[in-house]
Amino acid sequence: MKDALHISDLRVWAHVGVLDHERRDGQWFSLDLSMWLDLDDAARNDDLSRSADYSLAVQAVQSLANSLQCQTIEHFSERVLALLEELYGPVPMRVLLRKCAAPIPGFGGTVAVERHRHWTV
């Protein structure tokens, strides 16, 4: 599909990490979500019912982040992809999940995982 819906820099607090204190105390994550959808009818006719309600994705990811406790950002991203598929169906999608402050001495950057589903190259 030629159209895409992007949600950028969705910030959530989640209990994800290898270290006990990461899972216990939580930390900030940032997500970019992309879904390739047919948005022609919505665009042509200004018809909200033919568009994708992106607020559903934002609220679902926020809810997941509040309830999830796991070790890896890979698992977190898998759960996000499953949520998006439940909401929008089997459309091409991409998740870029960033851990905003990885507990690595002397490291000030971010660590990220990028995952795709229903992706064709």
Side-chain angles (χ1 to χ4, degrees), residues 21-102:
H21 72 83
E22 292 178 291
R23 291 187 310 279
R24 182 189 64 236
D25 302 336
Q27 60 192 304
W28 285 108
F29 291 83
S30 174
L31 293 96
D32 294 344
L33 313 172
S34 298
M35 292 156 290
W36 280 261
L37 307 159
D38 184 353
L39 302 174
D40 281 345
D41 283 346
R44 196 173 16 260
N45 301 310
D46 193 25
D47 185 353
L48 185 59
S49 70
R50 301 295 298 161
S51 188
D53 185 346
Y54 53 82
S55 72
L56 297 176
V58 170
Q59 292 168 356
V61 171
Q62 289 170 328
S63 179
L64 172 66
N66 285 332
S67 64
L68 183 68
Q69 188 174 29
C70 65
Q71 291 187 3
T72 66
I73 58 176
E74 292 85 354
H75 181 73
F76 188 6
S77 68
E78 179 65 22
R79 297 284 302 273
V80 171
L81 286 166
L83 275 175
L84 295 177
E85 188 172 27
E86 284 179 32
L87 292 170
Y88 304 103
V91 298
M93 58 186 72
R94 171 188 167 267
V95 170
L96 178 64
L97 173 61
R98 290 179 294 278
K99 183 184 257 191
C100 297

Side-chain angles (χ1 to χ4, degrees), residues 101-113:
I104 302 169
F107 177 67
T110 60
V111 175
V113 63

